[in-house]
Structure formats: C-alpha cells, structure tokens
Amino acid sequence: MGRPSTHYVCSSCGAQTRQFFGRCAACGSWNTLVEQAVPAADSRRRRPVSRSGGALAGRSSAEDWNGAAGEAAATGRPRRSEPIDAVGERPLQRLSSGYAELDRVLGGGLVPGSLVLLGGDPGIGKSTLLLQSARAMAERCSVLYVSAEESAQQVKLRWRRLAELEGATDQADRNALQLLSETDLEMVLQELEALRPAVAIIDSIQALHDAELSSAPGSVAQVRECAAALARIAKRQDTALLLVGHVTKEGMLAGPKVLEHLVDAVLTFEGDRFASHRLLRAVKNRFGATHELGVFEMQGRGLAEVSNPSELFLGSQEPSSGTATIVACEGTRSLVVELQALVSTTSYASPRRTATGIGTNRLHQILAVLEKHLSLPLSRFDCYLAVAGGLEVEEPAADLGVAAAVVASFRDLTLPPGTVLIGELGLGGQLRPVGQLELRLQEAARLGFRRAVVPKAGGLGGLAAGLDLQLLEAGNVAEALVAALGSHPSQEEPF
C-alpha cells in the first residue's frame, strides 16, 4: 500500500478536489470543503485475461490468480453470471408497518432486505412515527430500535407514554422490541449480526460514526460509509432497515447524494408548524409508486392516521365569495381541497401577487390568461390565493379552480354549493384534459358533490350516470366559468 494522501470533500454535495477552495466548484456552497485522509490506491491490479486462455505475456506464475478464469474466457463460458431466466424467484412477502398510511406510501409494506430513508424537519415527528410503528411491528416480528441521538431512558419514556395512552400492556411487545442506544457503527453491526431482526430502525444515520474514519459524525464520508455498511448487512440477512435522515436549512436531505441513490425508498415527512396534520410522501420507491401521500394528525396520544384527509382541506360548509373546490391527486389518492382567493384594488404602482400552497408563477400565468381572454383588468388589482389546510398543490389540474376563485372574488360572486372544478388552462384560454379524471370524480361524488365542471372529453356520460354526478363540459375558460357561476365574467364591472 502507498503512503496515504489527503483531498478535500464538500460536505454539501460530496464533490472531491485535491486543492482547498473557499467555494465548492460543483454546488457553489461556501466553506464546505473538509480535508480527509485517503490511502493511496493499491498498485496491484488484476491482469486482463487473453483470448488464448492465459494472461498477457510477461506474467509470472504468482500472478496467475485464477487459471479457470482464462479457460472460461477462451471458451466464452460465464464464471459467475447466469441467464436471467434461470434466476430463482421467491414470493415477495411485505411486512406491515402497523399503519395503513405508512404502508400506502411504501407500496404495501416493508420489503425484507430493503433500505428506507425517512427525512423531515426537526420536531416534525419522525422518531414518534417510527417508534409507534416499531411497537406495532413488534407484535408480529423482532424489531431493533437503535437510538443514536437519545439515551435509552429518553426513548423508554416516550415508549411508555405512547403505551399508556393506547392502553397497551402486552409483555410480548416489550420482549420483541429491542432497544440499543449506541453511536459506534461497529457495535451496531455486531448487534445486527447477533440479533438478526426482521426490522431495524436507525435514528439517525447522521449520528452514527465509523471509528476507522477521522472525520466527524455527520460528514459526507461518515454518512456514506455507515450507510454502505448497514446496506450490506441488511441485504445479506434480509433485514428491513429504516434510516432517519436530517435535512438542511434549505429543506434537502443532509449528507451526500449517494445516500439517496443507495437506499430503496426515500420518504419525506412534512407539515406546517401551525397545523396538526403531517404529510408523508414517497420521493423514490423501487418497490412501489412514487409521489404517494399518507396523512397523519399529531394528537396527545401521538400520530394518528387520517382515513379521510379531504375533511382537513375543506373549509366551512357555508358558501362564500372567492372560494372554489378542486380535486387534487397525490399518487393514487384523491383529495378534495378548497381554494380561497381575494382580489382587491391595489394601492401601489405594482399590484401584489401572493400565493400560499400554489406556485406564484402559476398564479401569474392564470391571471394573464383571464385578463387576455376575459378582458378582466386584473393588472390593477392585488390578488391573494391560499389553499385551505396548508396543503401544497403543484399539479395543473387546479388551474380551473384558481381561475374560478379569482373571478368569483373579483365579481363578488358565490359558486353554487356542491360544485367542483377540474381542468388545466392553456395559454390560449382552452381547457385541457387532466389525468385520473375518473378517480377525481369518484372522490367528489363520495363526499356529496353533485356538479363537476370538467374539460370536454368523450365517454363521460356513462361515468356521470354511474356516479350520480352532473358533468358540465367546457372547451375554454369562458365556457367553464359560465357553467360554474351562471353568468359571463365580463358582463359586470367590479364595484
């Protein structure tokens, strides 16, 4: 082995350089380069095998690492690979997490030998969610909970509080749930080898450290090596591994990007600190659909599942000016959401445009379409838009609802009760079809809505009859607003 050398690694993006710079050339972050010792590369290399059955000329007998390899190469036979049809299959048996919302986001449950990374802001409820899930899974299989940030006494206090609130006193649950408070990676690996649990939870991956590395816990090298070591043992003994990850001040998962590539699923736990509900999303999932959504509510007894999340995002039952109802889709889940708009005369040279829950650029585009094709002087008015319940709606299917809410506030009109609006607005004012329309209409009918304004499409008559829903089809934004409001938006002037 050669003499060890040093290089500099960016703690933000993981880029490497041999020279120190104040700013990372890859991601542009300042003061993120950390010096790390790296051993020199091994000069010994395996020689390529020639087509004649031996190694290249000049090779000594000591360098003949495998004579069978040369023979296999000469005859064209594989050494270790096999045809894909000959690979043995085994049934995929998922492990239920004990919570239907978490299973939905995972694609049906935990896959043995998989790695799941859960990230979220501090205090959002990541440890609470995993501890509750560990208690539920301990009723059916062995679970190891590794706490690298809290002491064993702190975890037990939270576990006892959850158990008392739920009224669970089963001794079997206590024996199946093992707790280890440790930050040394080697000790954690030894415990995983000895116990061989079905599920292991690491809270958190940034708090573990490998004694063979000189860098501090949470650095790029530490996170990368600890995650790789845990992944190897999880794949070898079919242990489903749940990793808790920190986030940066920008909201991104802390550590190298290779961590997200290494794991099988990446989940994000989100929520407004002023609201009680929490949203669990799947950003990456090798064993299920991405962009699935699970909804929880933080209560006195911990996190509780929300089976009907549309109730959280619907406002009061009394209709009011400037409100519209849409049906948004998050993965395979449909959510009925209320939009609220306020249009008022501006007091400044440039009107204000503020949106909460919907992109501001999207709002600017919709306002431009309304001013161009409906002759509404919205450039002289302030416009405020908000999504009830604090939900983030990113899909373009909400465009028609935004337009209806803005026009209703501008004209001081009220949409008829029981009306939902679904559709994407084009820059030419046309109403474009959206995906999963049948799923959206089924959710609207289930919640008691009787009218739906949708883009024109064939084959909707039979669907409407089966759902007891009146479909009002429109080809452009003017037709849609006439169907929804009962009058053309440009026929009246605001007061």
Side-chain angles (χ1 to χ4, degrees), residues 15-29:
Q16 299 180 5
T17 179
R18 291 187 175 274
Q19 185 178 357
F20 177 80
F21 298 97
R23 182 182 183 184
C24 176
C27 64
S29 301

Side-chain angles (χ1 to χ4, degrees), residues 341-343 351-355 359-385 399 402-407 409-410 425-427 477:
L342 174 62
V343 179
R352 291 178 56 87
R353 303 282 190 258
T354 303
T360 306
N361 292 334
R362 196 75 185 175
L363 175 61
H364 290 167
Q365 178 178 316
I366 295 173
L367 294 177
V369 171
L370 294 177
E371 185 164 5
K372 172 69 174 178
H373 298 283
L374 298 182
S375 302
L376 300 179
L378 295 175
S379 58
R380 304 197 302 265
F381 292 81
D382 294 335
C383 183
Y384 305 90
L385 183 70
D399 290 355
V402 173
V406 169
V407 172
S409 177
F410 184 75
L425 289 185
L427 294 180
V477 61

Side-chain angles (χ1 to χ4, degrees), residues 272 339 354-360 363 384-388 390-393:
D272 189 349
L339 303 180
T354 303
T356 303
I358 287 183
T360 306
L363 175 61
Y384 305 90
L385 183 70
V387 180
L391 183 69
E392 296 284 342
V393 179

Side-chain angles (χ1 to χ4, degrees), residues 110-163:
L110 288 169
V111 176
S114 64
L115 275 76
V116 178
L117 177 62
L118 175 64
D121 293 331
I124 201 68
K126 303 183 297 296
S127 299
T128 302
L129 173 63
L130 293 182
L131 185 58
Q132 291 182 214
S133 180
R135 292 188 61 256
M137 289 187 292
E139 300 177 0
R140 301 177 300 275
C141 59
S142 59
V143 181
L144 173 63
Y145 191 99
V146 178
S147 175
E149 297 181 349
E150 299 177 280
S151 65
Q153 289 75 18
Q154 290 175 316
V155 178
K156 185 177 180 180
L157 284 175
R158 188 167 71 251
W159 171 83
R160 179 176 295 174
R161 175 175 58 85
L162 294 173

